[in-house]
Amino acid sequence: MSRSPIDKALTPERFENLKTVAPQENSVGFKSIAAAVGQASKYMNPTNALRLAKKMNQKGGFDCPGCAWPDPDDERSSLGEFCENGIKAIAEEAQNRTIGVDFFEKHSVNELASWTDFKIGKSGRLAQPMFLAEGAAHYQPIKWEAAFKKVSAHLKALSNPDEAVFYTSGRTTNEAAFLYQLFVREFGTSNLPDCSNMCHEASGKALSETLGIGKGSVTLDDLYKAEVVMVVGQNPGTNHPRMLSALEKCKKNGGKIIAVNPLPEAGLIKFTNPQNPMKLLTGGTQISDVFVPITINGDVAFFKALLLKLLEKEEAHGNVFDKDFIKDFTSGFNEFISDLKTHSFDECLKASGVRKEVFNEAFELILTKKKIIICWAMGLTQHENAVDNIRELVNLLLLKGSIGKEGAGTCPVRGHSNVQGDRTVGIWEAAPQAFLDNIEAKYGFKPTAKHGYTVIDAIKAMYKKKAKVFFGLGGNFISAVPDTRYSAQALANCSLTVHVSTKLNRSHLVTGKEALILPCLGRTEKDYQRSGLQVQSVENSMGVVHTTKGVLNPCSKDLLSEVAVVCHVANATLQGRSKIDWLRYQDDYNLVREDIAEVVDGFDDYNTKLNRPSGFYLPNGARIREFKTKTGKANFSINKLPEWRLKEDELVMMTIRSHDQFNTTIYGLDDRYRGVYGERRIIFMNREDMKLRSLKEHDVVNLRSEYNATIREVHNFKVVGYDIPKNCCATYFPETNALVPLDSFAHTAKTPASKSVKITVEKV
Ligand SMILES: Nc1nc2c(c(=O)[nH]1)N[C@H]1C(S)=C(S)[C@@H](COP(=O)(O)OP(=O)(O)OC[C@H]3O[C@@H](n4cnc5c(=O)[nH]c(N)nc54)[C@H](O)[C@@H]3O)O[C@H]1N2
Ligand SMILES: Nc1nc2c(c(=O)[nH]1)N[C@H]1C(S)=C(S)[C@@H](COP(=O)(O)OP(=O)(O)OC[C@H]3O[C@@H](n4cnc5c(=O)[nH]c(N)nc54)[C@H](O)[C@@H]3O)O[C@H]1N2
Ligand SMILES: [Mo]
């Protein structure tokens, strides 16, 4: 039977060379420097590598495209503010190799689609615009002007602007993102799904409702001053390595760290700062004072258990809650307490899967503390009850008055380097009316108030042919989204799919009837326009807006900046009916920022403030106890204990990142900290669960998920025994996205529940 390219990609015919060794406790150190240098020298020329490392995350340099962790406001390391995975991220972008006509002549789309993500990514940087005609086997070159005409012709042919979907990934700068959403709104729709829908959307929802701002409240300085930092559902050693330096500093100042995670992740246990030569020699810092090995999705139960014990102590001794804060700044306390009392401590502790002794250790650390920070990432946001997870941790902070004061608050650790900024400047399918009113006042057209599609809604609309054109500004939609087979069909149903990208990825290969690849400049590259070398800006995880400026010559002469692409698409599509002179913006990005200053709150004097070497902080109500909620106060919330039932043979699976990937970009096949080498198609299982199923190390299995009577399967994974709670298992994203049901998502936030997929495992 011949298999479709997507099936071939989902089940490659052979395995690589899997080798497993004991996992590491310590993260970073000598080996990570060696790994980073190895990666950089394999794919880049050494002069470029050095030039980049010196400018990365420095004042006036470029913002590392790796993650959104902030840079210190004052002193920055002379060794460079970088980490192993940051170096890998730029090595990937600043590759020597480029691909153009020859490459696409040689390889058909079907052939490329059957390659692994690793192999696709290593092809090289995209060097010129390419077009795939209906029924054609190969992409062919196309001139920029013709490409813009193609996009505009498809968009103009739609019977309704809502038939187009405009996706954004979180690397897009503020300037490009602002113009893009402006174009989409003038075109007539709010269909602006973005990677945030799959990432911190649940955080945004929960925080807006409870604290009046969808972002975190802490600064980097707060982390240094906290008495306790809880790191929940997050793997900083791999995904935010520079956060470990901040935790180390916190500990040096007497702070304590509690990590809550099903896996004993290396960085959470121990850390050796690569920028501290003494520490490299002496073996590093113990990071977690208490490590809590929680069951997957046991967090609401765990937090409830903590809240119940705090209440018990408060009622006995009266010195646990911050009563003044609760009285002056919060709403809903009494209702919250009455509901809390309906729960039993034992039941909650049991549901969390945490042993009593470990619970007690964690509890003792927070009992008397008043400056608590809670950090979290995808381990909390990618569940059906994700919004509850975050509302419940806010309850804890509110009881303790740990919000809006030094050393305390919320810290959702963002993913993509500008995902937070994109939302701030208007990439939002459900933008607030006040923002839309500002657009109307400035540009004289009325943006539609109707909410647009989220990622999940967009997939369904394309599948049902209610949406026909897909446009992606960055990202790799097909590999990032859930339910790969269904989503591939959704894209195939489109008349046109367009991607503005730096590198080849699967989304260029799972296409609509026609497809375009529009290659753009990356963060590391110089962006020259008519007015000279351009600077762009981004917002980090803590609400600091600062500049980013490329340092390398572009890898090809035929690239445009994202800003230029957006201006041209808008100009071609809205010609004759636009109120905006689109092409002027690409000549001078200061003009874009002047507009942002008028439309987006907090950006007054944008161009002037950007001259400050460390950038500037955006206003943040929660940080100063001004809670812009419906009640005008910080709101306690009532959250149900999730009803979590597994059938007898089921496991709950979380899809996580290896140490060698950035989302769908696969740097390599190793996951060094977890002791896995040479293969990604693996499933981490508890050894007792393996025994129950008569499975041995490296046995080959198929994985199957059954949801609402639909069965989803992926084949040929190797079993790796691991220190993970019973009934839990882990696989890598995106290899198992085909198992994530499209209809399993966070209530109200629509984040796919890719950390709690119920599956069964079958020996092949
Ligand atoms: N090098 C590198 N850096 C990155 C990325 C990358 O892919 N590579 N991606 C970027 C992006 S977009 C993002 S969003 C972030 C992602 O950063 P993370 O959220 O750290 O990434 P994940 O691998 O998804 O890890 C989730 C962690 O949560 C734990 N976890 C899973 N389920 C649960 C649960 O139910 N409860 C608890 N308490 N823990 C749980 C897992 O064991 C794992 O340690 O990183 C950003 N930075
Ligand atoms: N099962 C499962 N699924 C998940 C997750 C999970 O944990 N589990 N995590 C989710 C999360 S948190 C996220 S954020 C999404 C990520 O979803 P996306 O943001 O869509 O995916 P990325 O892999 O980050 O996108 C990589 C592509 O972006 C392009 N690119 C890189 N840099 C630039 C640039 O500067 N400009 C432009 N125009 N293009 C560029 C390159 O072509 C590259 O191939 O995936 C989500 N999907
Ligand atoms: Mo993300």
Side-chain angles (χ1 to χ4, degrees):
M1 199 177 71
S2 82
R3 298 189 305 152
S4 73
I6 198 83
D7 276 320
K8 281 192 199 162
L10 287 174
T11 311
E13 262 140 30
R14 60 183 183 84
F15 283 103
E16 310 288 337
N17 271 326
L18 173 63
K19 196 181 114 198
T20 45
V21 301
Q24 270 173 244
E25 283 201 334
N26 197 347
S27 79
V28 197
F30 276 125
K31 273 199 188 147
S32 87
I33 297 180
V37 171
Q39 185 82 7
S41 56
K42 226 191 280 175
Y43 303 107
M44 291 168 68
N45 85 44
T47 335
N48 279 355
L50 197 67
R51 203 182 297 160
L52 283 175
K54 268 168 57 186
K55 284 284 182 186
M56 190 154 162
N57 293 330
Q58 295 298 323
K59 297 169 184 172
F62 71 96
D63 180 52
C64 173
C67 74
W69 189 253
D71 308 307
D73 287 339
D74 41 24
E75 92 297 356
R76 298 204 183 162
S77 166
S78 56
L79 276 167
E81 275 294 331
F82 60 82
C83 66
E84 172 189 352
N85 277 343
I87 295 277
K88 288 189 202 157
I90 58 166
E92 194 76 19
E93 180 176 301
Q95 292 186 6
N96 293 326
R97 202 173 337 160
T98 56
I99 55 177
V101 187
D102 299 348
F103 176 87
F104 287 104
E105 260 176 17
K106 189 163 163 209
H107 305 289
S108 73
V109 172
N110 270 354
E111 181 200 340
L112 293 170
S114 66
W115 290 6
T116 62
D117 291 298
F118 177 56
K119 190 166 168 192
I120 292 173
K122 288 286 174 274
S123 312
R125 278 285 300 276
L126 294 160
Q128 64 189 100
M130 302 297 298
F131 171 61
L132 183 68
E134 183 164 359
H138 292 258
Y139 270 97
Q140 63 196 64
I142 183 171
K143 292 260 183 306
W144 276 107
E145 272 317 303
F148 296 135
K149 270 205 188 127
K150 181 76 51 211
V151 179
S152 72
H154 274 270
L155 289 175
K156 285 179 192 163
L158 297 174
S159 54
N160 179 329
D162 290 336
E163 289 178 357
V165 167
F166 297 91
Y167 175 69
T168 316
S169 170
R171 271 193 197 172
T172 297
T173 58
N174 284 355
E175 290 76 3
F178 177 78
L179 290 178
Y180 184 54
Q181 61 83 35
L182 184 63
F183 155 61
V184 171
R185 297 187 198 285
E186 196 182 23
F187 175 67
T189 179
S190 316
N191 285 342
L192 285 161
D194 71 338
C195 68
S196 195
N197 293 155
M198 298 181 269
C199 190
H200 267 294
E201 196 68 61
S203 309
K205 275 272 186 299
L207 293 174
S208 303
E209 202 184 302
T210 53
L211 301 175
I213 181 165
K215 307 176 182 182
S217 73
V218 304
T219 65
L220 202 47
D221 207 45
D222 288 321
L223 271 167
Y224 304 151
K225 292 176 177 155
E227 291 172 307
V228 177
V229 177
M230 295 182 79
V231 182
V232 192
Q234 198 203 336
N235 178 19
T238 286
N239 298 313
H240 305 92
R242 288 182 306 132
M243 176 176 171
L244 298 179
S245 316
L247 295 179
E248 191 184 34
K249 205 158 165 180
C250 170
K251 291 200 64 141
K252 221 165 86 189
N253 295 339
K256 301 285 183 199
I257 315 285
I258 303 173
V260 184
N261 199 308
L263 300 179
E265 306 282 27
L268 293 175
I269 308 297
K270 208 168 182 191
F271 166 59
T272 307
N273 193 332
Q275 294 169 4
N276 181 340
M278 274 319 287
K279 278 283 158 63
L280 284 174
L281 298 175
T282 54
T285 311
Q286 189 76 28
I287 289 288
S288 298
D289 296 276
V290 182
F291 173 74
V292 182
I294 196 164
T295 194
I296 294 176
N297 205 18
D299 302 273
V300 168
F302 177 67
F303 277 108
K304 271 204 195 301
L306 287 175
L307 294 167
L308 279 162
K309 269 280 168 247
L310 288 174
L311 176 62
E312 187 188 307
K313 296 282 179 192
E314 170 68 25
E315 287 185 338
H317 311 287
N319 57 355
V320 178
F321 293 173
D322 183 337
K323 289 190 273 293
D324 288 341
F325 174 80
I326 293 170
K327 182 160 74 55
D328 296 343
F329 293 101
T330 71
S331 163
F333 174 73
N334 292 334
E335 296 84 342
F336 162 71
I337 293 292
S338 329
D339 177 77
L340 187 61
K341 286 182 171 166
T342 64
H343 293 277
S344 109
F345 172 78
D346 291 338
E347 186 195 357
C348 291
L349 192 65
K350 183 161 175 254
S352 74
V354 178
R355 276 190 302 119
K356 187 79 185 283
E357 308 81 78
V358 179
F359 174 87
N360 284 342
E361 278 180 54
F363 178 72
E364 287 303 322
L365 278 188
I366 62 168
L367 175 62
T368 57
K369 303 297 190 313
K370 302 199 157 40
K371 292 200 285 183
I372 302 172
I373 289 178
I374 305 184
C375 305
W376 72 92
M378 298 304 101
L380 288 193
T381 63
Q382 297 177 332
H383 299 282
E384 292 187 358
N385 49 275
V387 177
D388 290 353
N389 280 344
I390 293 137
R391 297 195 324 173
E392 204 71 313
L393 71 84
V394 169
N395 283 336
L396 191 152
L397 294 173
L398 293 183
L399 288 181
K400 285 290 194 173
S402 264
I403 193 94
K405 71 177 181 203
E406 196 181 77
T410 51
C411 184
V413 183
R414 296 280 163 168
H416 268 298
S417 53
N418 196 39
V419 60
Q420 186 158 313
D422 289 348
R423 187 54 70 84
T424 305
V425 301
I427 302 290
W428 198 348
E429 81 288 346
Q433 191 54 44
F435 175 81
L436 302 179
D437 291 344
N438 288 354
I439 291 206
E440 185 178 356
K442 162 81 185 148
Y443 299 102
F445 72 89
K446 196 173 180 58
T448 173
K450 190 174 132 195
H451 288 182
Y453 296 138
T454 61
V455 163
I456 286 180
D457 300 330
I459 295 167
K460 289 186 177 170
M462 291 186 285
Y463 190 89
K464 293 182 188 144
K465 302 189 182 170
K466 283 191 196 155
K468 296 173 181 148
V469 174
F470 175 92
F471 189 103
L473 187 58
N476 182 3
F477 193 80
I478 187 58
S479 295
V481 299
D483 225 339
T484 315
R485 289 187 177 90
Y486 181 95
S487 300
Q489 189 56 50
L491 288 169
N493 287 350
C494 288
S495 62
L496 176 74
T497 49
V498 187
H499 290 90
V500 182
S501 315
T502 51
K503 294 196 43 216
L504 188 70
N505 65 45
R506 194 168 302 287
S507 298
H508 307 126
L509 311 169
V510 178
T511 68
K513 292 190 183 61
E514 295 187 315
L516 281 166
I517 301 175
L518 307 180
C520 68
L521 294 170
R523 279 283 170 84
T524 50
E525 290 166 324
K526 290 180 188 158
D527 182 356
Y528 277 104
Q529 302 293 345
R530 207 168 281 171
S531 66
L533 184 63
Q534 303 298 309
V535 167
Q536 300 195 66
S537 51
V538 291
E539 175 184 343
N540 69 29
S541 210
M542 291 173 182
V544 180
V545 179
H546 60 90
T547 56
T548 174
K549 191 168 77 186
V551 293
L552 299 181
N553 291 323
C555 70
S556 151
K557 290 200 172 58
D558 216 2
L559 305 181
L560 289 183
S561 70
E562 290 183 344
V563 167
V565 172
V566 172
C567 289
H568 281 283
V569 169
N571 185 56
T573 309
L574 304 173
Q575 220 164 26
R577 72 169 172 109
S578 180
K579 305 234 182 243
I580 298 162
D581 175 4
W582 283 100
L583 294 183
R584 72 195 268 270
Y585 293 111
Q586 65 166 343
D587 295 339
D588 180 358
Y589 300 175
N590 283 315
L591 302 176
V592 190
R593 287 185 287 269
E594 281 171 14
D595 281 20
I596 295 177
E598 283 183 59
V599 174
V600 189
D601 291 342
F603 284 82
D604 326 71
D605 296 325
Y606 194 2
N607 277 314
T608 318
K609 281 197 276 190
L610 265 189
N611 287 328
R612 296 181 197 160
S614 305
F616 63 95
Y617 279 92
L618 286 174
N620 185 312
R623 196 171 281 163
I624 50 171
R625 297 191 168 177
E626 275 176 17
F627 300 107
K628 296 186 176 136
T629 59
K630 279 191 191 139
T631 58
K633 301 261 171 114
N635 293 318
F636 280 97
S637 61
I638 293 175
N639 306 295
K640 282 200 296 219
L641 203 58
E643 283 183 26
W644 187 244
R645 249 173 261 125
L646 289 173
K647 290 192 202 127
E648 204 180 292
D649 58 342
E650 273 180 340
L651 300 172
V652 53
M653 174 183 81
M654 53 181 178
T655 55
I656 55 176
R657 290 154 173 81
S658 81
H659 192 61
D660 260 3
Q661 71 184 90
F662 189 91
N663 297 343
T664 69
T665 299
I666 311 302
Y667 302 140
L669 300 176
D670 302 340
D671 193 3
R672 198 174 76 241
Y673 294 160
R674 299 193 186 110
V676 174
Y677 292 85
E679 178 58 74
R680 292 179 49 85
R681 303 180 60 78
I682 60 159
I683 172 167
F684 294 105
M685 285 179 72
N686 176 292
R687 293 186 178 84
E688 274 180 53
D689 287 330
M690 284 167 61
K691 220 186 266 164
L692 276 173
R693 291 165 178 77
S694 310
L695 291 170
K696 297 189 305 299
E697 286 291 328
H698 300 201
D699 271 355
V700 178
V701 292
N702 293 335
L703 314 180
R704 165 199 281 242
S705 92
E706 193 178 335
Y707 189 87
N708 286 351
T710 304
I711 290 174
R712 296 171 175 82
E713 279 186 335
V714 294
H715 304 279
N716 293 354
F717 280 69
K718 285 194 173 173
V719 174
V720 174
Y722 207 77
D723 186 4
I724 183 171
K726 235 176 128 324
N727 299 323
C728 297
C729 65
T731 54
Y732 298 129
F733 141 60
E735 278 78 359
T736 47
N737 281 36
L739 294 178
V740 185
L742 196 64
D743 280 324
S744 172
F745 50 73
H747 307 305
T748 73
K750 292 214 167 164
T751 315
S754 41
K755 293 286 189 276
S756 46
V757 186
K758 294 174 188 173
I759 63 158
T760 52
V761 176
E762 221 172 72
K763 195 166 167 179
V764 173

